[in-house]
């Protein structure tokens, strides 16, 4: 998913993939999934109210230039989908640790399937790289995580999903824009209503574009006069993904990140996203790649500790932030980057993840943020999302205690806060 749908994909869980046979091993998206269901209140007249809302939207869409012919073909038959709304409201929990997510996202089967996909479409990737300068292995990795290389593109009606979510009160403006844009795409004749299908949240095609991302970045790369991201042929979808990444700042030739080792005594307080140095400057402080060599000066970089101070360490570049426009979760970005590296023939992550740790539950993440803020280390948001603000608050709290300031939001930190330490 892309920049305009960040809130749709913040969880880190993923469906388990069988290792054999190969088709089963990759016939599942590795996009984040929801936590266990909560009941969405549904009143007896909700369908009546939905149809009234839809009639009003019909009038608004006409005023926005969508033809009556398109609306009359697309809107009749749409019904309120309570399951879609339930799933949207229950995304807030990260259900897996980074390492558990990567075990699935970068499985042997997914790497093998990606390697074959890149080889099979080598000529296409040659053209895409020549035009946009985006690494083919990164595009293939997004393809692999979003739809298992096209095998799981989604069968939900995009219009019904978006209409249900736009009618809901949680984010009506966002989904209202997506619904209107989907209708405008239909009005332009780029796809038939019956063929506009994708994920439950309205993301479409091989690489799961939201309608506004399709509008702004999709390209007709096969020259047939249509920007067809839905067909079995992935040409337009893969080219559109490259166009999207380039438009969001992709730097040609720059890695997303490089696994590194830190010298003894390294100041972990400097491992902040906002603190960047050239790799040569980090090298002067003793930071090396896993082969013991300085990282080339690809551009300003920061140090990321996704598993805390005892886990693998990454030097990340601007392209990391570009991939975040697809999905804000660090696990997803590392998953795309590392899967791309593995498809390109590079080795596995060498550092040891703290596999003895478990992910904090949704309630525990809320509690962590509340306790940090109450203790004077403001997370600025109480939303259960462990992003840079919360990581910085954890680090500042750790510094106040004189313990390792890695910003790692672990159960150990929460227990200290509970004890008032």
């Amino acid at each position: 998913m892309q920049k305009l749908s960040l809130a749709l994909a913040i969880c880190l869980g993923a469906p388990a993939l069988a290792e054999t046979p190969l088709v089963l091993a990759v016939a599942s998206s590795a996009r984040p999934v929801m936590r266990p269901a909560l009941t969405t209140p549904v009143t007896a007249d909700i369908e009546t109210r939905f149809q009234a809302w839809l009639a009003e939207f019909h009038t608004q869409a006409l005023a926005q230039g969508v033809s009556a012919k398109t609306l009359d073909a697309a809107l009749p038959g749409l019904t309120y989908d309570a399951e879609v709304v339930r799933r949207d409201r229950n995304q807030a929990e990260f259900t897996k640790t980074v390492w558990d997510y990567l075990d699935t996202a970068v499985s042997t089967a997914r790497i093998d399937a990606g390697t074959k996909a890149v080889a099979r479409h080598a000529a296409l990737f040659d053209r895409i790289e020549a035009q946009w300068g985006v690494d083919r292995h990164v595009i293939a990795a997004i393809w692999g995580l979003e739809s298992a290389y096209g095998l799981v593109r989604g069968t939900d009606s995009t219009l019904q999903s978006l209409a249900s979510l736009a009618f809901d009160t949680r984010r009506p403006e966002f989904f209202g824009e997506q619904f209107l844009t989907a209708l405008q795409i239909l009005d332009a004749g780029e796809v038939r209503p019956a063929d506009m299908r994708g994920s439950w949240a309205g993301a479409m095609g091989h690489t799961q574009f939201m309608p506004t991302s399709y509008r702004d970045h999709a390209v007709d790369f096969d020259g047939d006069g249509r920007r067809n991201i839905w067909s079995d042929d992935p040409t337009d979808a893969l080219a559109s993904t490259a166009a999207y990444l380039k438009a969001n700042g992709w730097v040609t030739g720059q890695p997303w990140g490089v696994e590194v080792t830190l010298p003894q005594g390294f100041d972990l307080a400097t491992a902040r996203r906002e603190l960047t140095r050239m790799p040569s400057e980090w090298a002067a402080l003793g930071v090396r790649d896993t082969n013991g060599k300085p990282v080339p000066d690809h551009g300003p970089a920061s140090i990321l500790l996704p598993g805390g101070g005892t886990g693998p360490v990454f030097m990340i570049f601007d392209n990391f932030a570009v991939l975040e426009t697809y999905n804000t979760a660090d696990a997803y970005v590392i998953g795309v980057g590392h899967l791309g590296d593995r498809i390109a023939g590079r080795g596995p992550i060498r550092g040891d993840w703290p596999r003895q740790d478990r992910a904090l539950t949704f309630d525990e993440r809320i509690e962590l943020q509340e306790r940090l803020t109450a203790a004077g280390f403001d997370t600025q948001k109480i939303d259960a999302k462990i992003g840079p603000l919360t990581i910085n608050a954890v680090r500042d709290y750790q510094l106040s205690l004189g313990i390792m300031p890695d910003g790692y939001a672990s159960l150990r930190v929460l227990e200290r806060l509970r004890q008032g330490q």
Side-chain angles (χ1 to χ4, degrees), residues 210-244:
M210 292 298 287
T212 49
S213 293
Y214 176 92
R215 177 195 66 199
D216 296 338
H217 302 294
V219 297
D220 171 22
F221 204 57
D222 61 9
D224 68 353
R226 297 172 60 208
R227 302 182 296 171
N228 192 349
I229 64 172
W230 299 271
S231 84
D232 290 338
D233 181 354
T235 297
D236 287 354
L238 299 181
S240 297
T241 303
Y244 173 93

Side-chain angles (χ1 to χ4, degrees), residues 248-326:
N248 278 281
W250 186 265
V251 180
T252 301
Q254 184 186 82
W256 66 275
V258 176
E259 188 182 2
V260 296
T261 60
L262 304 178
Q264 188 172 2
F266 181 83
D267 183 4
L268 293 180
T270 63
R272 297 174 180 265
R273 286 291 298 273
E274 66 271 20
L275 195 163
T276 62
R277 294 185 171 115
M278 292 297 290
S280 55
E281 295 177 274
W282 287 117
L285 297 174
V287 179
R288 298 288 187 273
D289 68 17
T290 54
N291 293 317
K293 298 179 180 179
V295 177
D297 276 338
H298 298 294
S302 57
I303 303 299
L304 182 70
L305 308 172
T310 62
V313 182
F314 299 92
M315 182 183 295
I316 59 173
F317 298 87
D318 288 345
N319 281 343
F320 189 98
V322 174
L323 291 174
E324 281 184 312
T325 68
Y326 234 83

Side-chain angles (χ1 to χ4, degrees), residues 62-79:
L62 278 174
Q64 292 293 321
V66 181
S67 71
K69 180 180 178 181
T70 292
L71 294 171
D72 291 343
L75 299 188
L78 295 184
T79 58

Side-chain angles (χ1 to χ4, degrees), residues 10-12 35 91-95 360-370 379-387 390 409:
I10 60 173
C11 307
L12 302 189
R35 63 190 172 109
Q91 295 185 88
E93 181 176 359
F94 287 7
T95 59
L360 295 179
T361 66
F362 175 81
D363 290 341
E364 287 171 338
R365 289 171 184 267
I366 291 290
E367 182 186 356
L368 176 72
Q369 292 174 324
E370 290 176 340
T379 62
Q380 300 186 40
K381 295 180 180 179
I382 308 297
D383 57 6
K385 301 176 187 177
I386 307 301
T390 299

Side-chain angles (χ1 to χ4, degrees), residues 5 11 17 22 30 83 86 95 97-98 109 113 128 146 183 201 204 211 223 231 236 238 322 333 337 346 353 380 408:
S5 60
C11 307
L17 301 182
L22 178 60
E83 173 65 10
R86 180 196 64 77
T95 59
T97 59
V98 176
I128 289 173
E146 293 291 344
L183 291 169
M204 309 174 295
S231 84
D236 287 354
L238 299 181
V322 174
V333 177
R346 303 183 186 98
W353 294 104
Q380 300 186 40
Y408 181 41

Side-chain angles (χ1 to χ4, degrees), residues 113-127:
T115 302
K116 292 175 182 176
V118 168
R120 185 165 60 252
H121 298 282
L124 170 60
F125 281 117
D126 284 344
R127 294 174 55 217

Side-chain angles (χ1 to χ4, degrees), residues 9-202:
I10 60 173
C11 307
L12 302 189
L17 301 182
E19 289 299 324
T20 56
L22 178 60
V23 171
L24 293 180
V26 296
S28 178
S29 168
R31 285 193 292 118
V33 296
M34 306 318 115
R35 63 190 172 109
L38 297 178
T39 302
T40 300
V42 179
T43 60
D45 68 340
I46 193 167
E47 184 62 35
T48 299
R49 291 189 288 111
F50 174 76
Q51 292 300 328
W53 174 89
L54 201 61
E56 182 179 350
F57 199 95
H58 183 288
T59 301
Q60 295 172 353
L62 278 174
Q64 292 293 321
V66 181
S67 71
K69 180 180 178 181
T70 292
L71 294 171
D72 291 343
L75 299 188
L78 295 184
T79 58
Y80 178 74
D81 191 332
E83 173 65 10
V84 165
V85 174
R86 180 196 64 77
R87 295 179 77 174
D88 179 59
R89 289 185 177 183
N90 294 317
Q91 295 185 88
E93 181 176 359
F94 287 7
T95 59
K96 288 193 175 185
T97 59
V98 176
W99 46 95
D100 285 338
Y101 176 79
L102 293 177
D103 287 347
T104 298
V106 194
S107 67
T108 299
R110 204 180 296 270
I111 295 166
D112 290 346
T115 302
K116 292 175 182 176
V118 168
R120 185 165 60 252
H121 298 282
L124 170 60
F125 281 117
D126 284 344
R127 294 174 55 217
I128 289 173
E129 285 186 338
Q131 180 146 346
W132 288 284
V134 179
D135 185 345
R136 68 185 64 198
H137 305 103
V138 169
I139 299 170
I142 291 173
W143 188 21
L145 294 190
E146 293 291 344
S147 70
Y149 308 104
L151 293 177
V152 188
R153 302 197 292 274
T155 59
D156 288 9
S157 164
T158 298
L159 294 176
Q160 182 150 302
S161 293
L162 292 176
S164 299
L165 292 166
F167 170 72
D168 187 38
T169 58
R170 196 168 84 85
R171 287 184 290 162
E173 292 184 0
F174 171 76
F175 284 111
E177 180 185 15
Q178 299 301 324
F179 186 38
L180 176 63
T181 303
L183 291 169
Q184 291 169 336
I185 291 168
L186 292 173
D187 205 35
E190 303 214 52
V191 63
R192 298 181 307 164
D195 295 332
M196 186 179 261
R197 296 188 172 274
S199 75
W200 64 267

